[in-house]
Amino acid sequence: MLKIVLATSNPHKIEEINSVSVPFGIEFVLPDEGFNPIEDGSTFEENSYAKALAAAQCEMGERKYFMADDSGLCVDFLNGAPGLKSARYAPSAQEKIEKLLDALKDAKENQRGAKFVCSLVLIDKTGNILNKTTGICKGKIAHNQCGEGGFGYDPIFIVENKNKTMAELSQDEKSKVSHRGRALMDMLVWIKCANLK
Ligand code: ITT
């Protein structure tokens, strides 16, 4: 099994990613101690690269490849916010949801459009970019939260063409349609074709 470091502190991301990648023969593992990236980029891709590089720089063992996921929710009515600041929008997941629902209390039905974005960047130990992929999942913000699955904003994000929030989908269903699932599938196909060892 090829092991790649996933530059994250978010256990949900590694769980979601491994549920898709392990059957492909690729397992993502957490970075070594001391992983503490500064996410001050102006795009998802810049932040993703910064995280991957931070993981490469604290690698003490033999790992050769490092991937990061920078993602967020962009809401039309809020001109793309919380966007890059999705993780810092409020202290807890529940407070984030409540703050977002409150920010949209005057938004009409056709103003609740939103999208999840995920940028994956894969680098080697020296920081060279091997591949990068982006995934987008369109939808709209619900009026109330619904569902227990997933994490973050999933309970208030209604997936386009599904009458369900992301939190009402199973892990498999989420991976098929989500921003992370789409970006990941492209990345896994690339890794297989590149025959990384
Ligand atoms: P790492 O930086 O350590 O990977 P993080 O959670 O801080 O973990 P980001 O900086 O990429 O990750 O912030 C993404 C935030 O966007 C995340 O904390 C959630 O609030 C939200 N988010 C991203 N993907 C999501 C998903 O699939 N479902 C719900 N919310 C998501």
Side-chain angles (χ1 to χ4, degrees), residues 31-179:
D32 280 338
E33 232 167 86
F35 171 66
N36 189 17
I38 297 168
E39 295 176 47
D40 60 358
S42 53
T43 62
F44 290 110
E45 195 176 307
E46 280 176 25
N47 281 341
S48 195
Y49 180 75
K51 288 191 265 193
L53 189 62
Q57 288 170 342
C58 67
E59 169 65 23
M60 307 295 284
E62 301 290 304
R63 306 269 182 248
K64 295 195 279 190
Y65 307 113
F66 305 83
M67 188 179 86
D69 162 325
D70 199 62
S71 42
L73 178 64
C74 305
V75 180
D76 297 347
F77 189 69
L78 305 176
N79 299 316
L84 284 179
K85 297 188 179 134
S86 295
R88 287 159 279 160
Y89 190 55
S92 68
Q94 188 55 36
E95 286 164 289
K96 287 184 182 90
I97 286 174
E98 282 164 16
K99 184 172 171 184
L100 193 56
L101 289 179
D102 190 56
L104 290 193
K105 66 179 184 308
D106 296 326
K108 301 195 179 71
E109 205 49 45
N110 64 359
Q111 295 178 310
R112 305 183 77 90
K115 63 179 177 184
F116 272 122
V117 180
C118 173
S119 163
L120 298 179
V121 175
L122 177 72
I123 66 170
D124 65 17
K125 176 85 177 128
T126 64
N128 280 324
I129 295 180
L130 302 174
N131 191 35
K132 47 193 186 181
T133 61
T134 302
I136 288 176
C137 179
K138 290 189 190 166
K140 64 178 182 177
I141 304 302
H143 290 272
N144 300 295
Q145 47 186 309
C146 200
E148 305 291 328
F151 68 98
Y153 301 91
D154 283 347
I156 54 167
F157 184 84
I158 299 174
V159 181
E160 191 177 66
N161 298 327
K162 298 212 180 253
N163 209 4
K164 288 178 176 177
T165 68
M166 198 80 108
E168 292 180 286
L169 304 182
S170 69
Q171 181 57 71
D172 274 6
E173 287 172 321
K174 178 175 175 181
S175 291
K176 286 199 180 93
V177 297
S178 78
H179 50 313

Side-chain angles (χ1 to χ4, degrees), residues 10-49:
N10 183 332
H12 299 286
K13 287 185 181 178
I14 199 155
E15 201 181 303
E16 286 191 3
I17 287 175
N18 275 335
S19 77
V20 176
S21 70
V22 169
F24 270 75
I26 302 167
E27 184 185 0
F28 288 87
V29 296
L30 288 170
D32 280 338
E33 232 167 86
F35 171 66
N36 189 17
I38 297 168
E39 295 176 47
D40 60 358
S42 53
T43 62
F44 290 110
E45 195 176 307
E46 280 176 25
N47 281 341
S48 195
Y49 180 75

